Amino acid sequence: MLVRDWMTRNPVTVTPDTPVMDALKILKEGGFRRLPVLDGHGRLVGITTRKDLKDAMPSKATTLSVWELNYLLSKLTVDEMMARPVITAAEGEYMEDAALRMQEHHVGGLPVLNDAGQLSGIITTMDILRAFTGILGMREGGQRLTLDMPDVPGSLERATHAILPSNIISVATFGGENGRRRFVMRVSGEGVRDVRDRVRAAGIDVLD
């Protein structure tokens, strides 16, 4: 699962001299939250978000006149509000690495660079969620099983044999505490109605 497989390609961009009001309009019309900022040579130099731009707006309690307010807003550009340096992802990196970087830096999206260092896409929390539900086979039907098993070699093989002849669509694991691990599986096909009984008969704890 690589970033290039889930990113939004060719994202809408702005330049540092784009007026803040124009950038906000682009975000509103496009229905998205962030804009990569490219300089005149097409190089990524920053990123700005809807929140950044709205925070730049004068307070409703301002004492400025309408003329003064319009003049101020016309002079305010993305360059003054964008974040830099930019935290990015690479097309060829794993999705989990990009997701961890987003978590560590508390950001909701990363511009994606190709091998030449050029902007080729953007990866967001929504894309991460799409990947997550895809990995778990949420749209493929079947039944979900959560198994609690010893965290030792051979546990997954044991569960697989117990699930046969049903087909395993997806597998995810978590835990690893107190010598136990949980396996979350989605299964379908032949024998799926009785799969829980077969797994329990094999001495495996089925949590749901």
Side-chain angles (χ1 to χ4, degrees):
M1 290 253 304
L2 302 180
V3 167
R4 67 165 61 96
D5 299 323
W6 295 93
M7 69 182 188
T8 299
R9 295 183 177 275
N10 304 314
V12 177
T13 63
V14 291
T15 60
D17 60 356
T18 301
V20 164
M21 293 301 292
D22 289 354
L24 279 170
K25 182 179 180 182
I26 292 171
L27 287 171
K28 182 178 180 181
E29 292 178 348
F32 35 81
R33 298 184 179 181
R34 52 192 55 82
L35 290 168
V37 184
L38 305 183
D39 66 12
H41 301 285
R43 294 175 300 203
L44 181 68
V45 293
I47 188 168
T48 191
T49 68
R50 183 182 303 173
K51 183 179 184 303
D52 294 334
L53 298 174
K54 285 189 173 181
D55 286 348
M57 296 293 98
S59 166
K60 292 182 179 180
T62 181
T63 58
L64 294 174
S65 68
V66 174
W67 184 87
E68 290 171 323
L69 186 59
N70 288 336
Y71 178 78
L72 176 64
L73 294 179
S74 70
K75 295 297 183 181
L76 194 59
T77 64
V78 167
D79 183 60
E80 300 172 67
M81 305 309 304
M82 68 184 187
R84 59 188 133 185
V86 191
I87 303 163
T88 63
E91 279 190 359
E93 74 174 307
Y94 295 119
M95 280 289 285
E96 58 265 35
D97 291 330
L100 181 60
R101 192 174 310 117
M102 290 167 63
Q103 182 181 10
E104 291 174 340
H105 292 277
H106 305 287
V107 295
L110 300 173
V112 182
L113 304 181
N114 61 22
D115 292 340
Q118 299 172 322
L119 180 72
S120 59
I122 190 166
I123 193 85
T124 69
T125 51
M126 186 59 66
D127 299 317
I128 300 295
L129 289 174
R130 285 196 302 115
F132 177 72
T133 55
I135 290 172
L136 294 181
M138 297 296 291
R139 298 185 183 278
E140 297 186 49
Q143 290 193 31
R144 181 185 189 276
L145 301 176
T146 302
L147 313 181
D148 185 68
M149 303 185 69
D151 189 11
V152 296
S155 283
L156 181 58
E157 181 182 10
R158 181 182 166 204
T160 300
H161 283 297
I163 287 170
L164 289 173
S166 300
N167 183 48
I168 298 175
I169 298 173
S170 67
V171 180
T173 75
F174 66 97
E177 298 179 356
N178 301 317
R180 309 287 292 181
R181 178 165 292 275
R182 293 187 179 182
F183 294 81
V184 180
M185 298 182 170
R186 186 165 291 274
V187 301
S188 66
E190 183 181 351
V192 72
R193 293 182 61 181
D194 305 319
V195 66
R196 285 179 172 80
D197 293 336
R198 293 198 304 277
V199 174
R200 289 192 178 100
I204 299 172
D205 293 335
V206 180
L207 302 185
D208 64 33

